[in-house]
Amino acid sequence: MKKAVIVLVTVILAMFFCCELLATNLQKSIIPAEASWVIHFDLEKFAATQIGNHLLTEQDALGLGKKNAEFKKKYQIDLLEDIDGITVFGFGNGEENLVACLHGNLNRDYLLELLGAEESHKEIPHGKFTIHNWDGDEYGVFASDTLALMGPNQDAIKLALDVIAGKKANIGSSPMNDYIKEIPSNAFMAALAKDISSLAKGGSKVFIIKKTESVMFSLSEIKENFNIRLNFTVKTLEDAENMENVLRGLISLANMQLEEMKTGFKVPEDIVIATKGKKVYVEMNYPSKALLDIAMGKTKFSPFHLISDFNLLP
């Protein structure tokens, strides 16, 4: 059963990362107010986009067909048909406090039968829920027939269950709730984080990370374009002004490098960068077809090192 968790989470997250990039919208009622970061990926909405449809169904560019068939045969779950989305949240930057929430048709009875066959399987009562433990540090629970929680930390799972039961405050009472309101309703991917400087391992010296307090990132598709939004809050008004200048400089630098590399990729000139108080807003639209070419390897794109190497300390 441990392999089921690993395969399921790996496959879904691989679909996100392979694209270089909400059916189920982000549900505040399952996320504790104490969460430091949240990532939500809506598989159904992604599959409905031009690039998602092409990658997942038309050409199976990610090679999911065979993996999905094997997974379905063993666990009676079709990853592309039964899983609507995944929400992952954590407390701090350690993986030990991560909780993954799977939404969809999970075939609860069959999976419980498989768990029961595990020699290491144990049941831990928690309120009206039953937490299942196997292989020592693997925990999972069915919060409902369509929602399962998994993670390596029993206490984190219990906190999430208390939130679902209404015993603990959810993220709606957190400062990150303001960012949740800004997530477009058609977004297939959204990410939120607070206390960025503490999450960055080793105390990053990169200006953008060092000065950022909280952030919201989302991806959606509007007609023939991918819409990318990045909203974040910095420490002071001066930081906001400096951040805008840094971002514009990075875009110019990136475009010069991309032109020299002859990649055919260019950051759009109509990208929106604006500030309001200590908040910085960035929004960009890019043709879905062009991004699909990048995902398929038709267009080479590797300028990300420009950002990691850029160090401006005003």
Side-chain angles (χ1 to χ4, degrees):
M1 192 64 190
K2 181 177 181 180
K3 293 182 179 180
V5 176
I6 295 174
V7 172
L8 183 57
V9 175
T10 300
V11 168
I12 295 177
L13 292 182
M15 288 188 288
F16 165 65
F17 287 112
C18 284
C19 297
E20 300 280 357
L21 311 172
L22 289 220
T24 55
N25 290 314
L26 180 64
Q27 298 180 25
K28 295 188 289 186
S29 60
I30 67 175
I31 305 171
E34 296 89 342
S36 301
W37 56 270
V38 181
I39 298 176
H40 180 76
F41 183 76
D42 188 308
L43 180 58
E44 187 171 346
K45 287 184 179 178
F46 178 65
T49 65
Q50 183 176 342
I51 188 172
N53 179 63
H54 189 87
L55 292 176
L56 299 179
T57 59
E58 290 186 11
Q59 291 193 4
D60 190 22
L62 301 179
L64 291 176
K66 183 178 180 180
K67 295 183 179 69
N68 186 37
E70 294 173 351
F71 194 91
K72 182 178 180 180
K73 181 179 180 180
K74 189 168 185 178
Y75 301 107
Q76 301 299 303
I77 295 177
D78 188 313
L79 295 174
L80 301 181
E81 295 293 334
D82 296 331
I83 302 300
D84 297 326
I86 179 172
T87 303
V88 184
F89 56 84
F91 311 91
N93 58 17
E95 296 180 1
E96 65 275 7
N97 294 320
L98 177 152
V99 177
C101 310
L102 301 176
H103 312 264
N105 178 17
L106 304 174
N107 203 334
R108 176 175 181 168
D109 292 339
Y110 184 78
L111 291 178
L112 287 177
E113 183 179 340
L114 290 181
L115 273 173
E118 288 280 337
E119 292 184 2
S120 61
H121 175 242
K122 299 178 182 179
E123 294 186 357
I124 305 170
H126 184 73
K128 64 179 181 179
F129 304 103
T130 299
I131 301 174
H132 300 273
N133 170 238
W134 65 99
D135 290 344
D137 59 351
E138 298 290 338
Y139 297 90
V141 58
F142 284 97
S144 70
D145 288 338
T146 58
L147 175 64
L149 280 57
M150 293 178 290
N153 188 306
Q154 181 182 165
D155 291 334
I157 294 286
K158 288 182 176 179
L159 177 57
L161 292 175
D162 288 342
V163 171
I164 293 173
K167 298 178 180 179
K168 298 284 187 178
N170 65 43
I171 199 171
S173 62
S174 163
M176 284 201 291
N177 187 52
D178 291 338
Y179 278 128
I180 294 177
K181 295 177 181 178
E182 297 175 355
I183 299 174
S185 60
N186 64 333
F188 65 81
M189 183 269 176
L192 315 166
K194 63 180 181 180
D195 302 326
I196 300 298
S197 58
S198 64
L199 289 177
K201 295 182 178 180
S204 176
K205 295 181 180 180
V206 178
F207 173 68
I208 292 178
I209 297 177
K210 183 179 179 181
K211 296 294 185 178
T212 300
E213 292 189 334
S214 55
V215 64
M216 184 281 288
F217 175 77
S218 71
L219 291 174
S220 58
E221 187 176 65
I222 302 176
K223 295 182 178 180
E224 299 297 317
N225 294 308
F226 255 39
N227 178 265
I228 304 170
R229 295 189 184 187
L230 177 65
N231 302 344
F232 55 98
T233 302
V234 293
K235 296 181 179 180
T236 67
L237 294 175
E238 183 181 4
D239 289 339
E241 295 177 2
N242 289 331
M243 192 72 74
E244 181 176 358
N245 293 330
V246 168
L247 291 173
R248 294 189 185 282
L250 280 173
I251 291 171
S252 297
L253 179 61
N255 278 334
M256 285 191 295
Q257 291 281 342
L258 291 169
E259 186 175 354
E260 290 182 5
M261 294 162 61
K262 298 181 180 180
T263 62
F265 182 91
K266 184 178 181 180
V267 180
E269 296 180 357
D270 61 349
I271 184 173
V272 175
I273 303 177
T275 61
K276 184 177 181 181
K278 295 190 294 182
K279 205 162 188 178
V280 182
Y281 298 86
V282 182
E283 183 172 1
M284 181 179 76
N285 291 299
Y286 202 82
S288 298
K289 177 61 169 60
L291 286 179
L292 181 59
D293 287 343
I294 294 173
M296 297 297 293
K298 296 180 180 179
T299 300
K300 295 182 179 179
F301 181 57
S302 57
F304 299 109
H305 67 279
L306 294 175
I307 296 177
S308 61
D309 291 341
F310 197 84
N311 184 11
L312 177 61
L313 300 176

